[in-house]
Amino acid sequence: MNILSDLRKGLKTPKIYLPILLLLVCLLIPLFGISPYFIHVLAVTFFYISYSSSWNLLAYSGQASFGHAAFLGIGGYVTTIFTIQTSIPWLGLLLGALVSAFAGILVGLTCVRLREWFLALVTLGFSIIMVALTIELHWLTGGVYGLAVPSLLPSVNHYYYGMLALTVFLVFIIYLITKSKIGLAFVAIRENESEAKATGIDVTKYKLLAFTMSAFFAGLIGAFYAHFISYINYQIFHLDYSFWPIIISVIGGIATIEGPIIGSSLMFCIIEFLRVIRPLVETIDPVIKLNYPKIQVLLMGIILVVVVIKMPKGISPWLRKYLISISK
Amino acid sequence: MLDIDSVGASYGNVQILWNVSLSVKKGEIVTVLGPNGAGKTTLVKTILGLLHASSGSIEFLGKRIDGLPTYRIVDMGIALVPEGREIFPRMTVHENLLLGAQSKEAKKTKDDSLERIFQIFPVLKERRKQLAQTLSGGEQQMLAIARGLMSKPKLLIMDEPSLGLAPILVQKIFKAMQEINEKGVTILLVEQNVHRALEIASRGYIIEAGKMVLAGEWDELLANEHVKKAYLGL
């Protein structure tokens, strides 16, 4: 087993201690009597880490989805409807992931033949179809009013640990995938698709596999997220949910394991910072007070533009280069 | 081993190959010669299934392979070393080699294959952990050939291996080709370097403007007036 020996080797290098330290801090945080609001924010950050990681796995194979919210929402709705109908807890999570993976196969079947913007449009279109479907099938989905999602866990602290466990699990699984033979094939397809084909790689199979796995993970995390926020409606398919994983991955580093972690953490630092300084800024001008949410979005946009210009591959590759340059 | 019978191929509406026939027997080195734009690479693509033949048939080991997906053809034992040293530049030499072993059988024997390949190209062993883009042109060509060998091919198709290489490297590559052939791999060599190709090949075909214009033993071709005039500058 190559992976195991790699891990053993990894334990001897200092690189592995950073994630372990980070994990320890995350495990201990709720014990310090921090406000439930902040715990909630951190849990949402974990959600975006794992959700963006699922998107990033697809990017790892050189494909991009502009409608990943479709898979997130399918996971969420399936677990909600299943749990309400049967009162069986937890099983819905797996069911949501499986149905989402199945949707991933269907979308993937059309998408593996497409490239770049065609692929982007089909995935985007799929998420918009899901909005129409959930509104029209109101006997099942509650229509525009949505559904209250039965809770699985008693407190926000429990959800915090649940989200943390799920995130660590997903990131680790995705890490293993990228280090395996499958990951190697994904990189080959991303780097040079026609060449990968000539080498004898079944390109269609691997692209479809990437789609299915990505949809499975997005569905799983979407299912748990639905229970966590305890309410679901068609807005889960909204563009916001499709574009956040893209923005986060682009900022953190597309097709890297740590990219979504860095991206999510940074974005939520910024959002929280903008929230904290809100009372200060609002005293400047009543126009600002009225339009503060829009100004938040504007600031995020500016940060995104700056990152893309200054670090076109995202923060993580830039950081790696920087660390290597100072260690010399 | 490989029998191509009056194959035609086109890109969209533009027909490139017309009634091309060719055969390769087990253990041979056969070369396909021709000028730029004659359809040599198109022929290679058609054999590999990267482009579908519009007419005619292609048989490999007695089975029809035209219409099969590329990975199945590679599984059956045909490997391509593509034109222009198309390796995966941002992957390591080792990873590039592993990608060559896609079929179950090739995966099982990959350590064995690696060892044999390192015997032929010791420099690749030294540079195993380097990114492929840091190799020299000649080394990249060796890597491309080595990757082709990882699939344990019965037939190795080489598309212009001498392209853009210094004469001394061309000599090295051609020597390696002979070595590979002696170890039991049949080779179909597509070349513009007529002199060198006919030195190692037993038979040759000449393709011009998408049609086979000449076929024969290596010495026949070398003695042919048309070949002398058009290709050897004699």
Side-chain angles (χ1 to χ4, degrees), chain B residues 68-88:
Chain B
L68 286 183
T70 306
Y71 68 93
R72 295 259 298 121
I73 295 172
V74 174
D75 273 4
M76 285 175 73
I78 302 183
L80 169 68
V81 179
E83 186 183 5
R85 309 191 281 279
E86 285 213 41
I87 44 160
F88 297 102

Side-chain angles (χ1 to χ4, degrees), chain A residues 291-311:
Chain A
N291 293 309
Y292 196 75
K294 287 179 196 160
I295 290 170
Q296 272 182 320
V297 176
L298 181 71
L299 283 172
M300 295 291 278
I302 292 171
I303 292 164
L304 183 64
V305 170
V306 169
V307 168
V308 169
I309 291 172
K310 290 282 163 198
M311 317 167 197

Side-chain angles (χ1 to χ4, degrees), chain A residues 181 184-185 187-189 191-192 194-203 206 313, chain B residues 48 50 70-71 74 80 82 86 88-91 95 98-100 102 107 110 147:
Chain A
K181 284 255 169 62
L184 209 56
V187 178
I189 293 167
E191 293 277 313
N192 189 340
S194 58
E195 183 42 32
K197 204 170 168 191
T199 311
I201 293 171
D202 187 349
V203 172
Y206 279 107
K313 286 180 178 171
Chain B
L48 259 285
L50 291 163
T70 306
Y71 68 93
V74 174
L80 169 68
E86 285 213 41
F88 297 102
R90 278 175 292 183
M91 298 173 96
E95 284 172 333
L98 285 186
L99 279 171
Q102 286 296 326
K107 273 177 192 160
K110 71 173 196 305
R147 192 186 55 199

Side-chain angles (χ1 to χ4, degrees), chain A residues 171-205:
Chain A
V171 171
F172 188 62
I173 293 280
I174 289 173
Y175 170 78
L176 290 185
I177 291 170
T178 58
K179 288 291 160 202
S180 72
K181 284 255 169 62
I182 299 172
L184 209 56
F186 285 174
V187 178
I189 293 167
R190 187 180 77 210
E191 293 277 313
N192 189 340
E193 189 174 329
S194 58
E195 183 42 32
K197 204 170 168 191
T199 311
I201 293 171
D202 187 349
V203 172
T204 310
K205 183 181 94 183

